[in-house]
Amino acid sequence: MVRRSARRHLAPSKKRGKDPEPKGPASTPVIEPTLVRLGILGLLVIIAFGALFSRLWFLQVLASEDYRVLARENRVRRVQSEPPRGRILDRNGKVLVGNRLSLSVTIDRQSLRGPRQQRRVLERLERVLDRPRSDLRSNLLNPAVSPYKPVPVANDVSRKDVTYLAENQEDFPGVGYELLPVRTYPEGPLAAHVLGYVGQISEEELKAPYFRSARPRYLGGDLIGKAGIERTYDRYLRGRPQMEKVIVNSGGEVTDRSVIRPEEPGRDLTLTLDAKIQRLSEKALASGIRAARAANYQAIGGGVTVMDPRTGGVVAMASYPTYDPGVLADGISTKEYGALGAATPNDPTDDKLLNRALQGQRPPGSTFKVVTAGAAMASGVASSSSYLGCPPSFTYGVTFNNWTSADMGSMGFARSLEVSCDTFYYALGARMEDTFGAKEPFQKYARRAGFGHVTGIDLPNEAAGRVPDRAWCNAIRKATDGAICPYGWVPGYTINMSTGQGDLIVTPLQMATTYAAIANGGKVWKPYLGSRLSVPGASGEGRVVRRFDTRVTARLPLEADELGVIRQGLVQVISGASGTAAGAFAGFPLDEFPLSGKTGTAELSATDSSLNDAWFLSYGPARSPKYVISVYVERAGHGGESAAPIAREIWEGIGGFNSTTDVTLARDSSG
Amino acid sequence: MATRDVFRGAVDRIGGEPVSARMARKAPIRHVDPTLLISAVALAAFGAVMIFSATESKQLQAGLDPGFFLKRQIVYAVVASVVLVIVSAVDYKHLRTAAAPLYIVGVAGLALVLTPLGTVTGGARRWFNLGFVTAQPSEIAKLGVIVAVGALLARRKGEVRSRDVMLCLAAVLLPMALIYLEPDLGTMMIFSALTGALLLIGGAKVRHFLVLLVLTVGATLAVLQMGLLEDYQLERITAFMDPTPNVQSEGYSPFQAKIAIASGGVKGKGIQDRNSQTSLDFIPEQHTDFIFTAVGEQLGFMGSSVLLVLFGLLIWRALRIAAMSRDLFGSLIASGIAAMWAFQVFVNIGMTVGIMPVTGIPLPFISFGGSSLLTNFACVGLLHNVHMRRFL
């Protein structure tokens, strides 16, 4: 009853129909279609609400998780601080790389409002600090630093300047100062190639597996080891940075901060390196190269590796030319980097950063004959008591000449090494090729002795070298369209390799490793530098927390007598009457300090002997050698002439003998 | 009905019921709509809480009274409640005669706000600064237009001719033009929507709507062609259409709004979460136009649903009142109000969830703002007026 009367004006009016004249006062009932029209309006409302509901369902129920991540990214920032980096010590605890605190001026980018203010602040800083504005600017704009962290723009600022800045804070908005740790090198450029340097992590490095997989995560702006030991052991040296979680609002203002993880300083790393022998090696290498240059050789560079054959530990590693890591110490500016003359395609020789001891790949010349001898005896084509002739030339399809035109007669392994007879080894190479062919025992032995692959030393970017074999030959032939290995594998390649020539390339470190194996009775070590980590102490080495071990990667498959004839030959190279290094060691107290060694000359040009690389491998003293020294000088003529004197100078230093006066250089053409 | 038979000479009884009893039964005061009133008050309370949570942290950070906006909104609500009572007390039939003066006052307000009397905020001249409070005449004008157009159409009793439609359009286009000058695109859209609804209920024919549709499309194209829109207005619309908007500029607000609402999930983060988008002030204009983001983030899908249900309840009551009204004028007013609310809710929430472009339309009852709350409570009063007097 009530309801019906409530709809009075909507009462049926069919009978009025299409009456065009709505007559009568307000009491006339209104047509029914109003209800229908209200229904339409209601339907539109329902559709609109349905749309809102389904959209909310999608956003808040189905897609909520994705947006929660976005919300977190909006507000949460992680800020890391740099803990003091671990020091690097030599085997006696002498600090090779340390830290000092640098008074640095920083700018908080958050408090700089607009580029105009930034320019004005930089202009004023330029005047106060007397540093070029362009440098300050490029440091400030370093995209690698978190925007919530003040950016260091100038290191080693005077206290006076900082005081001035603090007193005139209103002119320097956002400018502050911090004591930042900076790398120091108490020994100067000593072992620069081994130690490496630090710098800010780059985009590519952030993606590299070493840095990507590390925990705690590396972040943009982190100071990392860029090369050498600093790079290999970065995880331990860096320490654990303090991690702070910062909540920011829409204006970037910090509303809350909490330390998630406290700081833990980096570990000190002790190396197998001996600073004294390192210094000795670098000095000897530099003076040897000076001497070679005085003798009109190009002598563009060289490398020395001193290794302990008993442990595989690297005692010294020198490369020439070298650089001063001090200029890169602060990790702020990258300008100095260019001055080091990174290798360019036009001038690959100018690379001061290249560590030639493990990155220089050259043919080893006659120093490789110990490998040929070992392979020949191990494969059975010769024995320790075998005698072969040493004719002026050896013919196997083509003719291979000895270094001398005289026939030196029949000889055993020891003498073949002493006089470095080429034809003796050509014959051995030919025998192995004839007997075994595609079984390639020579190549297999060479790989076992440490060639054709990286030694695995704890330094980055080691070169692998190459042992040419049939597979390589076929691959390169295909790749170069027959320019190299045009006829496929020919026995001549093996014959060439038997004297360390041809396509065989090795690094000085590989040579050191194989000579260490001869010296220690057959153990091919994986060489290493990092020996232990310690918690930093007040001075010297602190509490050791971890030791690094190395391992023997292979053993030379030689019997004692076989190893014996090789060793005997190496003794005679230095002390024998016609030893190829006898001249270089004339006057050296060999009775007191017996040495073994082998010269090598890699012939890179058939006609121009000045393009030859000079090698000298040696170990000593006597029967229980403590050191192996591998010396190599690029484009410096003959091993006995340019490389052996460098080794001699190092041995003198190790043995504590005075510098010799009467060196007569072996001016023969032996390898 | 047999009431006539019962009526035997004496006039003191109708249908066996004493006239006095009948009068008492039909008295307006006996026909209160509690659902309507409760849902309106609940919405206003909901809004006050959300305004507080959206402004608290920002106020605290600025060292100001965290309850500033809450207190203001409560004052507005009290004043608005008084207005509600007054509006519902006087029979709405008098509004038909008052329609013309009301309309003129509304238009005059809109014209005055364009003079230096109006205050410019954010590039738009929309407010009067009355010292302690600012008033937005376009809010009041909405009510004026509903009443005026309602009165116009009610006279036709459902028989709407083309010239009636034109008259209505003329009545609406004048305030719309003034609002365009402020500018306030969102309110213009509301005017269009409620005019459409009034014409629909008033009895306009299909052909009228077709012509209107053609005119609207033509006008839109003309506006775009002639560059009558401000750059930011265009950018907001293109940002809405663009699947990969620039979230740093025009796309920033809707993007942050969507993050806030969606990250709320089903249950929401709670009002107290200090690390919400709301607390960290990631959403511009959050206590006014983007107030729904606080609801979505802090109360989640459940809270959003409660809010939508409250709106649904309110609009359902408005449409029900339109259907029950004793005359067409009441139906028109009620349906106009219902359409206005529904449209505002859809466009406002729609823009925060990314299905509508960004326009400055407040969410009724929830957004901070005195004029808006006052108008909406007046609307509730008007609806209630119609409801109470449906038997008179």
Side-chain angles (χ1 to χ4, degrees), chain A residues 6 9 37 55 64 74 250, chain B residues 200 256 262 277 281 324-325 353:
Chain A
H9 76 282
R37 285 163 184 269
R55 178 67 177 170
S64 181
N74 258 346
S250 62
Chain B
L200 173 69
Q256 294 296 350
Q277 294 264 105
D281 191 24
M324 285 166 41
S325 164
V353 296

Side-chain angles (χ1 to χ4, degrees), chain A residues 285-627:
Chain A
L285 178 62
S287 65
I289 282 175
R290 269 199 306 276
R293 285 180 181 167
N296 281 327
Y297 289 114
Q298 271 181 282
I300 54 178
V304 169
T305 305
V306 182
M307 203 167 131
D308 185 340
R310 299 166 299 178
T311 62
V314 174
V315 180
M317 186 178 263
S319 181
Y320 186 95
T322 186
Y323 68 97
D324 181 2
V327 302
L328 302 167
D330 56 14
I332 289 185
S333 175
T334 51
K335 213 177 69 179
E336 291 92 347
Y337 190 86
L340 295 174
T344 58
N346 294 332
D347 192 3
T349 59
D350 192 32
D351 192 354
K352 294 185 174 108
L353 295 171
L354 187 77
N355 184 354
R356 285 179 159 77
L358 70 156
Q359 290 168 314
Q361 304 184 92
R362 316 291 289 186
S366 298
T367 53
F368 198 68
K369 282 174 181 162
V370 295
V371 180
T372 316
M377 289 186 276
S379 67
V381 299
S383 75
S384 58
S385 53
S386 291
Y387 271 71
L388 276 81
C390 182
S393 68
F394 177 83
T395 305
Y396 192 104
V398 289
T399 298
F400 300 88
N401 289 320
N402 195 3
W403 56 270
T404 171
S405 54
D407 188 331
M408 299 174 88
S410 184
M411 55 178 71
F413 275 106
R415 181 150 174 85
S416 75
L417 289 170
E418 178 189 347
V419 301
S420 199
C421 176
D422 292 334
T423 44
F424 183 96
Y425 286 91
Y426 294 148
L428 289 177
R431 273 195 198 177
M432 285 189 273
E433 189 65 32
D434 288 343
T435 317
F436 298 105
K439 281 187 179 170
E440 300 184 335
F442 187 16
Q443 280 82 357
K444 278 179 189 148
Y445 179 92
R447 276 190 213 102
R448 194 159 179 179
F451 300 97
H453 53 81
V454 294
T455 62
I457 190 172
D458 44 358
L459 285 174
N461 303 323
E462 186 190 356
R466 175 175 63 227
V467 176
D469 58 7
R470 284 167 174 79
W472 165 80
C473 188
N474 292 336
I476 194 110
R477 186 183 171 196
K478 207 172 274 175
T480 61
D481 232 353
I484 301 175
C485 275
Y487 314 109
W489 185 259
V490 292
Y493 292 149
T494 303
I495 295 170
N496 245 338
M497 189 172 118
S498 62
T499 55
Q501 312 285 359
D503 294 307
L504 174 76
I505 50 176
V506 306
T507 67
L509 180 65
Q510 286 172 334
M511 289 312 297
T513 309
T514 210
Y515 273 79
I518 291 165
N520 66 27
K523 285 182 275 186
V524 181
W525 287 105
K526 174 181 157 208
Y528 74 106
L529 274 153
S531 105
R532 54 192 179 270
L533 295 174
S534 51
V535 176
S539 64
E541 203 181 320
R543 183 170 55 86
V544 174
V545 289
R546 179 166 173 180
R547 286 177 193 281
F548 295 105
D549 283 322
T550 189
R551 60 190 164 85
V552 174
T553 57
R555 280 177 188 276
L556 297 180
L558 298 176
E559 302 298 329
D561 57 324
E562 296 168 336
L563 213 49
V565 290
I566 295 175
R567 283 176 168 176
Q568 179 56 36
L570 296 179
V571 169
Q572 291 173 20
V573 167
I574 290 176
S575 43
S578 42
T580 53
F585 280 85
F588 189 89
L590 290 169
D591 304 337
E592 217 179 300
F593 204 90
L595 293 176
S596 311
K598 180 76 193 81
T599 57
T601 306
E603 288 162 13
L604 289 150
S605 162
T607 50
D608 185 358
S609 69
S610 74
L611 291 180
N612 291 353
D613 287 354
W615 287 86
F616 189 71
L617 267 294
S618 53
Y619 57 79
R623 293 188 173 279
S624 55
K626 287 161 77 177
Y627 301 105

Side-chain angles (χ1 to χ4, degrees), chain A residues 34 47 95 125 161 184 240 272 320 363 382 420 523 559 579 604:
Chain A
T34 307
I47 290 170
V95 178
L125 272 183
D161 290 346
T184 55
R240 285 164 71 94
T272 56
Y320 186 95
S420 199
K523 285 182 275 186
E559 302 298 329
L604 289 150

Side-chain angles (χ1 to χ4, degrees), chain A residues 11-312:
Chain A
S13 59
K14 283 249 169 63
K15 47 184 178 285
R16 250 169 80 268
K18 293 215 174 8
D19 190 348
E21 279 288 275
K23 52 191 181 250
S27 67
T28 317
V30 188
I31 46 168
E32 183 195 13
T34 307
L35 260 189
V36 178
R37 285 163 184 269
L38 274 174
I40 294 172
L41 190 57
L43 199 65
L44 287 174
V45 173
I46 288 170
I47 290 170
F49 272 64
L52 290 182
F53 260 114
S54 51
R55 178 67 177 170
L56 283 172
W57 176 265
F58 169 74
L59 283 180
Q60 298 189 298
V61 179
L62 302 181
S64 181
E65 206 39 57
D66 301 342
Y67 284 96
R68 223 168 284 202
V69 172
L70 287 173
R72 204 175 305 130
E73 284 170 4
N74 258 346
R75 64 174 193 266
V76 178
R77 306 277 185 273
R78 272 152 194 268
V79 179
Q80 287 196 356
S81 67
E82 223 80 54
R85 199 172 167 82
R87 298 173 302 169
I88 303 177
L89 315 172
D90 93 332
R91 62 162 58 190
N92 301 315
K94 182 175 249 188
V95 178
L96 300 176
V97 185
N99 297 307
R100 70 180 166 80
L101 291 174
S102 147
L103 190 56
S104 304
V105 170
T106 61
I107 297 183
D108 179 7
R109 284 183 283 199
Q110 291 283 309
S111 51
L112 282 184
R113 303 231 177 271
R116 278 187 58 194
Q117 191 181 38
Q118 175 188 309
R119 209 190 56 223
R120 249 174 293 147
V121 167
L122 289 181
E123 273 170 5
R124 293 192 194 120
L125 272 183
E126 180 184 27
R127 245 174 290 134
V128 174
L129 303 176
D130 196 23
R131 310 261 169 114
R133 184 155 33 116
S134 53
D135 285 12
L136 298 174
R137 206 180 120 78
S138 63
N139 294 336
L140 176 68
L141 298 182
N142 186 348
V145 179
S146 160
Y148 302 96
K149 213 160 120 179
V151 201
V153 292
N155 270 350
D156 293 321
V157 178
S158 75
R159 232 158 244 291
K160 201 184 93 230
D161 290 346
V162 167
T163 312
Y164 179 83
L165 292 178
E167 283 170 354
N168 297 279
Q169 191 63 55
E170 67 282 359
D171 289 338
F172 298 94
V175 175
Y177 57 92
E178 255 178 82
L179 282 172
L180 291 178
V182 170
R183 279 314 219 189
T184 55
Y185 301 88
E187 303 294 318
L190 189 75
H193 291 99
V194 172
L195 300 172
Y197 53 93
V198 295
Q200 250 155 9
I201 193 163
S202 69
E203 289 292 319
E204 299 84 65
E205 282 161 332
L206 271 174
K207 288 184 200 126
Y210 179 95
F211 295 107
R212 214 181 41 206
S213 64
R215 295 292 178 278
R217 261 177 216 290
Y218 283 88
L219 297 176
D222 279 3
L223 216 54
I224 57 151
K226 288 279 196 182
I229 285 292
E230 293 264 28
R231 166 74 194 253
T232 316
Y233 290 94
D234 192 70
R235 283 184 190 181
Y236 309 104
L237 293 169
R238 71 192 283 228
R240 285 164 71 94
Q242 169 181 290
M243 176 76 90
E244 212 178 7
K245 192 171 110 176
V246 170
I247 309 265
V248 297
N249 65 12
S250 62
E253 292 157 45
V254 175
T255 63
D256 191 28
R257 49 170 74 226
S258 52
V259 174
I260 302 175
R261 201 185 47 220
E263 175 178 284
E264 200 176 280
R267 304 274 188 238
D268 283 352
L269 175 68
T270 302
L271 302 181
T272 56
L273 213 69
D274 185 324
K276 206 182 99 218
I277 298 178
Q278 176 71 29
R279 187 175 298 283
L280 212 60
S281 306
E282 287 183 15
K283 228 178 96 222
L285 178 62
S287 65
I289 282 175
R290 269 199 306 276
R293 285 180 181 167
N296 281 327
Y297 289 114
Q298 271 181 282
I300 54 178
V304 169
T305 305
V306 182
M307 203 167 131
D308 185 340
R310 299 166 299 178
T311 62

